[in-house]
Amino acid sequence: MPIRNVAERIRPPRALYVEFPLGLPLGKPGDADFQHRVLDAALALLEEPTGPVLADFPEAIRSADTEPLQCSVPPRYDPKLHPAVDEAQGLRAAYDRAVARNGRTTVGSHASADEIPDVISKFARIADGEPWDEVGLDGSAGRVGQEIRSYYEELACELADGPAGPWAAERWFFEQTETGKVLLEARRKMREAGAPQLAWFLLSPAARE
């Protein structure tokens, strides 16, 4: 279980807390020895005579442990567009290849791939100082921001030189792309303007202020 406070509230009979990224319940992908250590630690809790028991797995996977994602972004194509919008449009072919290869996408609940450049332009206007509630976004802005992140992270796996480690796609998005920078600045502007928390909180992980 990667979220300790949830286990503390629910108090299951036996729980093993693991300090791993969400989506990696057994730890390091492709590392069978590591995964067996996790399973052995979890199964050992069955020997405890009484519960609830919440034990800590002694090894952690942290962002600093992973290699940066080697994934290039396209050069500017249309100087009339905001750099983030131009970037997103230039990456569309990679996104389409990723969807074709995987046969699925998580993009589309709040903004389709066709709409991504337009919503990025709205966040760019917020980042440049326009009031968040005058650019055509509503309280679902945070969810729309997640769609943008999904768009980028899915295509990143198509462009990357090798497999992406934990947090690697997130780090690439916020540290190397124009759109990642826009979302961080829009989040800051919306928070300072008193926008509803759900409208800005989901635009980035809380640690990225």
Side-chain angles (χ1 to χ4, degrees), residues 3-115:
I3 307 178
R4 186 183 185 90
N5 62 349
V6 172
E8 290 173 341
R9 292 198 304 270
I10 297 175
R11 293 170 59 84
R14 307 287 185 273
L16 178 69
Y17 170 67
V18 292
E19 193 174 345
F20 305 157
L22 290 174
L24 298 179
L26 296 180
K28 300 177 182 178
D31 190 334
D33 290 338
F34 187 96
Q35 294 175 1
H36 277 108
R37 290 199 298 275
V38 176
L39 289 171
D40 289 342
L43 293 173
L45 298 180
L46 297 175
E47 301 176 3
E48 296 289 339
T50 60
V53 175
L54 176 58
D56 294 310
F57 187 71
E59 301 175 67
I61 300 176
R62 298 185 175 89
S63 176
D65 298 336
T66 65
E67 294 293 327
L69 187 66
Q70 300 301 316
C71 182
S72 61
V73 295
R76 289 298 303 274
Y77 175 75
D78 187 346
K80 297 178 182 179
L81 298 175
H82 187 281
V85 176
D86 195 33
E87 174 187 83
Q89 292 187 168
L91 290 168
R92 176 61 187 268
Y95 169 80
D96 290 340
R97 291 197 304 271
V99 173
R101 180 167 58 86
N102 296 322
R104 63 184 183 277
T105 180
T106 60
V107 177
S109 296
H110 293 83
S112 69
D114 290 337
E115 296 170 325

Side-chain angles (χ1 to χ4, degrees), residues 112-126:
S112 69
D114 290 337
E115 296 170 325
I116 291 293
D118 181 58
V119 294
I120 290 174
S121 71
K122 293 176 180 178
F123 281 114
R125 289 163 59 190
I126 296 171

